[in-house]
Amino acid sequence: KAGVTQTPRYLIKTRGQQVTLSCSPISGHRSVSWYQQTPGQGLQFLFEYFSETQRNKGNFPGRFSGRQFSNSRSEMNVSTLELGDSALYLCASSLQAGHTGNTIYFGEGSWLTVV
Amino acid sequence: LAKTTQPISMDSYEGQEVNITCSHNNIATNDYITWYQQFPSQGPRFIIQGYKTKVTNEVASLFIPADRKSSTLSLPRVSLSDTAVYYCLVGGGNTNAGKSTFGDGTTLTVKP
């Protein structure tokens, strides 16, 4: 059974540009969440989607957005990139929402470097 | 939010048992405790999850006291390949991901 797949794995963007990252959850998983990981801030929650609806949102500016498709695949977008957006962006999926004790499984992440 | 506190780093030697404790004083009734392992440039990998008492799987054990204000991940007979960062997550999975809190992680270094 394939794990969480994220593309691209590595990318370099210029300040002011925008970027779209893609995530395919584990087959059968309907919940997807995104995290940003940086050396200084650790793992920070961005947002969570279930059945194409955003259920939770972390404390990030509006430049960070996401969406989920009917097949549970998800994308996140960052507009007007800043140097501080350089980070590892992690996608995680879980079987369902509305159930405590859900185990979330992470992808390998997308490394974004903003120059 | 359940704030978690872990030791920043720990050292061990091959073959030893390692115990990493996570403090989560204001854990909510519905919160589960999950531990992840992360290697450089990779996503966190699920190790074990529990709600109370003791949980054991093929790679680790998780001890949770009755008050649930802390938890201890136990790794038996560590090897060099166990050198990684270990995160404690308190919360309810993706449903309450916005209310889930990752600790700052414990860097475990296993020496030969």
Side-chain angles (χ1 to χ4, degrees), chain A residues 38-51:
Chain A
T38 59
Q41 299 296 322
L43 273 158
Q44 291 189 289
F45 169 75
L46 279 158
F47 25 66
E48 173 210 352
Y49 289 88
F50 179 78
S51 292

Side-chain angles (χ1 to χ4, degrees), chain B residues 28-46:
Chain B
T29 302
N30 291 337
D31 284 342
Y32 277 68
I33 300 149
T34 312
W35 284 82
Y36 291 86
Q37 175 193 56
Q38 187 177 29
F39 298 111
S41 302
Q42 295 185 22
R45 182 178 74 96
F46 171 83

Side-chain angles (χ1 to χ4, degrees), chain A residues 9-74:
Chain A
R9 282 282 283 138
Y10 304 93
L11 68 166
I12 300 174
K13 290 287 188 178
T14 305
R15 261 186 313 176
Q17 286 186 315
Q18 66 92 26
V19 66
T20 299
L21 308 177
S22 180
C23 172
S24 294
I26 293 172
S27 178
H29 284 195
R30 298 172 60 195
S31 182
V32 173
S33 57
W34 290 87
Y35 295 81
Q36 182 195 63
Q37 187 173 32
T38 59
Q41 299 296 322
L43 273 158
Q44 291 189 289
F45 169 75
L46 279 158
F47 25 66
E48 173 210 352
Y49 289 88
F50 179 78
S51 292
E52 303 176 65
T53 301
Q54 186 180 89
R55 289 196 160 233
N56 280 298
K57 191 176 191 301
N59 189 26
F60 278 82
R63 301 185 296 108
F64 292 81
S65 62
R67 59 178 176 169
Q68 186 180 34
F69 302 96
S70 58
N71 61 359
S72 295
R73 194 176 65 84
S74 177

Side-chain angles (χ1 to χ4, degrees), chain A residues 9 31-33 35 37 43 45 48 56 88 90 92-94 96-108 111, chain B residues 30-32 34 36 38 40-46 49 87 89 91-100 102-104:
Chain A
R9 282 282 283 138
S31 182
V32 173
S33 57
Y35 295 81
Q37 187 173 32
L43 273 158
F45 169 75
E48 173 210 352
N56 280 298
L88 176 65
L90 292 161
S93 77
S94 64
Q96 57 187 333
H99 172 70
T100 56
N102 251 337
T103 301
I104 58 175
Y105 297 91
F106 286 87
E108 293 302 309
W111 277 104
Chain B
N30 291 337
D31 284 342
Y32 277 68
T34 312
Y36 291 86
Q38 187 177 29
S41 302
Q42 295 185 22
R45 182 178 74 96
F46 171 83
Q49 183 183 73
Y87 290 96
L89 172 65
N94 272 2
T95 303
N96 297 314
K99 300 178 183 178
S100 298
F102 274 97
D104 290 333

